[in-house]
Amino acid sequence: SAVISQKPSRDICQRGTSLTIQCQVDSQVTMMFWYRQQPGQSLTLIATANQGSEATYESGFVIDKFPISRPNLTFSTLTVSNMSPEDSSIYLCSVEDPTTGELFFGEGSRLTVL
Amino acid sequence: DAKTTQPPSMDCAEGRAANLPCNHSTISGNEYVYWYRQIHSQGPQYIIHGLKNNETNEMASLIITEDRKSSTLILPHATLRDTAVYYCIACSQTSYDKVIFGPGTSLSVIP
C-alpha cells in the first residue's frame, strides 16, 4: 500500500492568485495522477505525471492553467493558476500499485476561491 | 463517458446486505472491474477488483456475471459507516492513465 500526504488540506484564495498543492508519497512510484472533484460531482482526471517527463493532460485541462512538477519518484506538485471561483474544488493526488492496478488517494486539498 | 452505469442512489437497512449493481456491457477482455468508495470529505478508498471470477475480501464480495457485462458489489452486513458513494470502474490492470470515474451510487445505510 501507499500513504499519500497532501498539503494544504484546505485553503481559501482570492481570485486571480495561484496556489500550489503538494503531494508526497511514502514509496517510489512511477505514475502519479491528479484529479479534480467539483462540489457534488465525481472525480475528473486532470493529468498524469511521470517522473522525468512532461505531464499528460486530459481534454479540457491545459498546462498553463494547471502546471505540474514531478521532480522525483515520491513527490509532485499541482499549481492552480489565475484562479476563479469555478476552480473551487477538491484536488486529489493518486498513485497506482503497478501489480494490482489499485489506486491510492490522498485526502485531497479543498480549495475555495472567492 | 464512463464505461459503467450505476444507479444514482440506494438505501440499505443497517445489518442487512447491501447489493450494489454495475453495468459494464462494453468491457473488453483485458479490463478488470474495480470498486472504490468515497466517504464524505475523504479520498476514495479501494474496495475490491476482479476479472471474471467472483472475489471476496475482508470488506466485500464481488460477483461478476459469466458474460462479464455486469457485476454486483456485496457488503454483507452494512453499517452506518458504509454510507458513501461507491464507484464501479472498468479498466485494464496497469493502465490507469485513462480511468474514468462515473457518478457512482450514493449508498445510505439507515438505522
Side-chain angles (χ1 to χ4, degrees):
Chain A
S1 64
V3 177
I4 301 172
S5 301
Q6 283 188 235
K7 291 182 180 179
S9 58
R10 59 178 63 229
D11 207 342
I12 300 173
C13 302
Q14 296 299 316
R15 179 195 302 258
T17 63
S18 298
L19 178 75
T20 295
I21 301 167
Q22 300 179 4
C23 177
Q24 179 75 52
V25 188
D26 68 343
S27 58
Q28 295 185 337
V29 294
T30 302
M31 300 174 74
M32 296 179 76
F33 308 92
W34 286 98
Y35 285 85
R36 180 177 73 182
Q37 188 170 30
Q38 295 176 301
Q41 303 296 313
S42 184
L43 286 76
T44 301
L45 181 64
I46 297 172
T48 303
N50 291 336
Q51 194 270 334
S53 63
E54 292 280 332
T56 302
Y57 289 83
E58 295 300 305
S59 175
F61 298 96
V62 295
I63 187 171
D64 290 346
K65 176 67 176 178
F66 298 99
I68 289 172
S69 78
R70 184 79 203 274
N72 57 53
L73 291 173
T74 63
F75 188 78
S76 178
T77 67
L78 169 76
T79 299
V80 185
S81 304
N82 188 24
M83 288 183 288
S84 67
E86 291 71 34
D87 294 320
S88 297
S89 295
I90 300 173
Y91 292 86
L92 294 139
C93 171
S94 176
V95 302
E96 176 194 30
D97 182 319
T99 302
T100 66
E102 176 183 348
L103 284 180
F104 299 94
F105 286 86
E107 288 303 308
S109 299
R110 183 182 296 271
L111 175 61
T112 301
V113 184
L114 303 178
Chain B
D1 292 338
K3 297 179 185 178
T4 63
T5 55
Q6 301 175 249
S9 63
M10 293 181 63
D11 292 338
C12 177
E14 186 178 19
R16 304 297 295 270
N19 297 285
L20 292 89
C22 179
N23 183 294
H24 33 80
S25 58
T26 61
I27 193 169
S28 63
N30 67 338
E31 289 183 326
Y32 287 68
V33 179
Y34 287 81
W35 283 84
Y36 289 82
R37 73 179 182 185
Q38 187 175 25
I39 297 171
H40 183 63
S41 297
Q42 297 183 20
Q45 174 192 25
Y46 166 84
I47 301 173
I48 198 168
H49 76 284
L51 182 62
K52 56 182 179 181
N53 298 320
N54 298 338
E55 302 287 344
T56 296
N57 63 20
E58 65 279 3
M59 291 182 67
S61 294
L62 174 61
I63 308 298
I64 303 173
T65 59
E66 190 169 347
D67 63 8
R68 301 211 323 122
K69 293 184 176 181
S70 65
S71 62
T72 301
L73 178 74
I74 301 173
L75 308 178
H77 305 287
T79 71
L80 298 179
R81 288 177 293 182
D82 292 322
T83 293
V85 177
Y86 288 77
Y87 299 101
C88 170
I89 299 167
C91 62
S92 61
Q93 193 171 22
T94 57
S95 181
Y96 262 81
D97 57 338
K98 293 297 182 184
V99 166
I100 299 174
F101 279 79
T105 296
S106 179
L107 175 69
S108 297
V109 180
I110 302 169

